Amino acid sequence: MKQQLQVLVKFFSDKFLSRWAVLAIDLFIVFISTLLAFIVWLNFEFTSFQWGHIFFTSILSTIIAAIFFLVFSSHISIIRHTSMRDAVRVFEAMTLSAIVLAFIAFFDQEIMDIEQIVIPLSVVVIFYLTTMFLLVFFRISVKHVYHVMHGTKDSYINTLIFGAGQLGMVAKSTLVNGGSTKYLVVGFVDENVGKIGKTLEGIKVYHPNEITAEFIQKKRIKEIVFAVQNIDVRKKRELIDGMIKFDVVVKSIPPVDGWINGELNLKQIQRVRKEDLLQREPIKMNNPRVKSFIDGKVVMVTGAAGSIGSELVRQLVLFKAGKLILLDQAETPLFELKLELSNKFINHASDLECIIADVSQGNRMEAIFKAHRPQLVFHAAAYKHVPMMEENPLEAVRVNVFGTRLLADLSVKYAVEKFIMISTDKAVKPTNVMGATKRFAEIAS
């Protein structure tokens, strides 16, 4: 029974309610709310009801609400990810609907005296409050039920956000609603004494001094996201250094001008790099031997969209590789990397070729080698997350071991000058599946 329930939950988790279905539910709520408003106004004395007038008025209020729902697009958001902005849209639509109804009620009483329209102003007030409550309650209930059924707290990545300002709120929204990875924001951290102890969207704000090793362990924090921009470099370094000592993943949000289409994307919240902790610009290598080794050659980078592969690509572009073949099976990160390179290194944009492929697929990889004849291969494609590979050992072997062996064999077959495999320290006396597969890969290549 439990397994069947999990399958059912998974099925509905992958489905999204049509915007027109949401609109229909909203309009049904408006219609029912109008009836309830009259019932309350008439003090539940059903014998005094003029049902014809009441139904006519309910239909009229529903039509008016439909117009404003469409104007403010209150029905287009995904209900399970309801935000404050969605509540504001509902508020705007219903406020204007109530104002229009109030005007109709006033002019009908004073001027028109249309027999079919009976809308006392007190009914409009009751209607407005009831509808607002039910519409927001509907959205919050769906969101709550989804998160309860979709997984327990153990299945989430507990996250702290350093910065309880506007950027912190954007980070929170992006983490919670931005992708398939499930994040649970358990707190904000801020030095502003006016915010400490208070809550933002139900999440408590803590002072940095409260974030201790015991706190991290108690709250089971896995990641800390640094969401402060206008801050002294030295201060930023001190804060990030303090976070790193807790043995958690520390990530940072890029500057606003680096957001894609003006919106923060989950993929842009990257792990803090060493360069972020420097109090100077990172040293740029200008080694003539490295330059001559790469200059003008066809270079392939597997796993090009990953954290290691993407940095390799940025360096290779600076060393003016003749052609860069960026290979990865992750479509979105590869697309974002291509956009970044096209913007930052516009003179090299025409030398880039992005290929979606799995390094363990023999026929596909041989076709790529045959078509492009790479002279240098930087092999960074691998599954790297230790806990995930403990749960999926066959995938770790397929990609890390057989994928590496396949690329090494093809490099020999197509006379690649150099095959450089990016390994890991976990391959030294490995104690886990990921480390063992990377050690096998070292031997195989």
Side-chain angles (χ1 to χ4, degrees):
M1 180 65 182
K2 183 178 179 182
Q3 186 177 4
Q4 292 173 337
L5 181 60
Q6 289 176 338
V7 172
L8 186 63
V9 170
K10 179 64 171 62
F11 174 79
F12 284 108
S13 296
D14 295 333
K15 307 299 179 183
F16 296 97
L17 196 61
S18 164
R19 63 177 64 183
W20 304 116
V22 174
L23 179 61
I25 294 171
D26 287 348
L27 294 178
F28 176 75
I29 290 174
V30 171
F31 183 84
I32 295 299
S33 296
T34 310
L35 295 178
L36 288 174
F38 275 104
I39 291 172
V40 172
W41 180 66
L42 292 169
N43 200 26
F44 298 91
E45 295 179 1
F46 294 96
T47 56
S48 60
F49 281 20
Q50 296 180 358
W51 288 107
H53 294 172
I54 292 175
F55 275 107
F56 181 85
T57 305
S58 300
I59 292 172
L60 177 64
S61 65
T62 304
I63 293 172
I64 294 171
I67 294 171
F68 287 111
F69 284 152
L70 293 172
V71 169
F72 289 100
S73 300
S74 62
H75 61 293
I76 66 172
S77 61
I78 299 174
I79 299 297
R80 70 182 64 165
H81 300 312
T82 294
S83 65
M84 182 60 68
R85 180 58 192 149
D86 298 317
V88 170
R89 289 195 186 102
V90 171
F91 171 78
E92 292 169 338
M94 286 313 306
T95 299
L96 288 177
S97 298
I99 290 173
V100 171
L101 279 175
F103 270 109
I104 292 175
F106 176 77
F107 282 107
D108 178 54
Q109 292 174 5
E110 299 295 329
I111 300 173
M112 296 181 292
D113 194 24
I114 300 175
E115 183 179 351
Q116 287 81 5
I117 301 177
V118 181
I119 317 177
L121 289 175
S122 53
V123 169
V124 175
V125 174
I126 298 171
F127 157 78
Y128 175 67
L129 296 175
T130 304
T131 309
M132 276 298 304
F133 171 78
L134 291 177
L135 289 173
V136 174
F137 179 77
F138 160 61
R139 284 159 168 76
I140 293 176
S141 299
V142 171
K143 181 177 181 178
H144 180 71
V145 170
Y146 168 76
H147 286 296
V148 169
M149 296 181 66
H150 196 253
T152 64
K153 289 188 176 182
D154 292 337
S155 65
Y156 286 82
I157 299 175
N158 287 10
T159 307
L160 273 178
I161 297 179
F162 195 102
Q166 184 177 2
L167 193 60
M169 297 304 296
V170 172
K172 182 259 181 185
S173 178
T174 302
L175 289 170
V176 174
N177 304 323
S180 56
T181 304
K182 295 182 288 184
Y183 288 92
L184 179 65
V185 178
V186 299
F188 290 97
V189 184
D190 205 289
E191 294 181 314
N192 188 333
V193 294
K195 297 179 180 179
I196 295 167
K198 298 179 181 178
T199 61
L200 295 174
E201 295 188 2
I203 301 171
K204 188 175 180 180
V205 181
Y206 299 91
H207 189 277
N209 293 341
E210 297 180 70
I211 311 305
T212 62
E214 291 76 17
F215 179 91
I216 296 293
Q217 185 176 9
K218 180 181 178 181
K219 297 290 186 180
R220 302 170 70 181
I221 307 297
K222 300 297 182 185
E223 294 187 6
I224 299 178
V225 176
F226 191 83
V228 180
Q229 294 281 303
N230 299 324
I231 187 172
D232 180 71
V233 175
R234 180 173 296 181
K235 181 66 173 177
K236 179 179 180 180
R237 180 187 179 188
E238 291 175 358
L239 291 171
I240 294 179
D241 274 339
M243 298 179 210
I244 290 176
K245 73 181 181 182
F246 293 125
D247 193 27
V248 295
V249 175
V250 179
K251 294 182 177 180
S252 182
I253 292 176
V256 176
D257 56 9
W259 296 2
I260 298 175
N261 297 324
E263 295 184 0
L264 181 64
N265 186 287
L266 186 60
K267 297 292 184 180
Q268 293 177 292
I269 303 178
Q270 297 287 338
R271 191 166 187 161
V272 172
R273 301 177 301 170
K274 293 180 180 179
E275 294 93 316
D276 298 324
L277 303 180
L278 296 176
Q279 297 184 44
R280 55 168 173 78
E281 287 296 316
I283 297 172
K284 305 292 184 181
M285 288 194 304
N286 189 21
N287 191 319
R289 292 182 63 185
V290 175
K291 188 176 186 304
S292 62
F293 175 64
I294 296 171
D295 190 20
K297 292 184 179 178
V298 179
V299 182
M300 175 188 289
V301 181
T302 68
S307 55
I308 297 173
S310 60
E311 188 56 39
L312 268 174
V313 170
R314 294 182 188 99
Q315 296 300 322
L316 290 168
V317 169
L318 294 175
F319 282 114
K320 297 184 179 180
K323 182 177 183 180
L324 272 176
I325 303 166
L326 313 184
L327 189 145
D328 206 296
Q329 63 176 346
E331 173 197 10
T332 300
L334 190 60
F335 172 72
E336 291 171 354
L337 177 63
K338 183 178 181 180
L339 284 180
E340 177 193 336
L341 296 176
S342 298
N343 292 329
K344 290 184 178 179
F345 310 103
I346 191 167
N347 295 331
H348 302 271
S350 59
D351 300 326
L352 302 175
E353 181 155 355
C354 296
I355 299 176
I356 304 295
D358 185 334
V359 294
S360 64
Q361 294 180 345
N363 293 337
R364 174 69 169 145
M365 294 309 302
E366 176 144 20
I368 293 170
F369 270 77
K370 186 175 182 180
H372 297 282
R373 300 282 175 168
Q375 296 166 279
L376 303 174
V377 174
F378 289 86
H379 178 44
Y383 285 128
K384 303 179 179 70
H385 294 284
V386 173
M388 291 297 289
M389 294 305 99
E390 292 297 315
E391 298 175 6
N392 301 275
L394 294 180
E395 283 298 298
V397 172
R398 181 181 67 83
V399 174
N400 294 359
V401 179
F402 294 122
T404 301
R405 179 57 187 267
L406 172 64
L407 288 174
D409 289 343
L410 289 173
S411 296
V412 172
K413 181 177 180 179
Y414 288 93
V416 171
E417 296 177 15
K418 294 286 184 181
F419 177 85
I420 301 99
M421 174 194 162
I422 311 300
S423 191
T424 172
D425 57 350
K426 293 178 178 60
V428 180
K429 296 182 179 179
T431 58
N432 51 65
V433 171
M434 193 280 283
T437 57
K438 292 294 285 185
R439 179 57 185 148
F440 273 117
E442 290 177 354
I443 297 170
S445 58

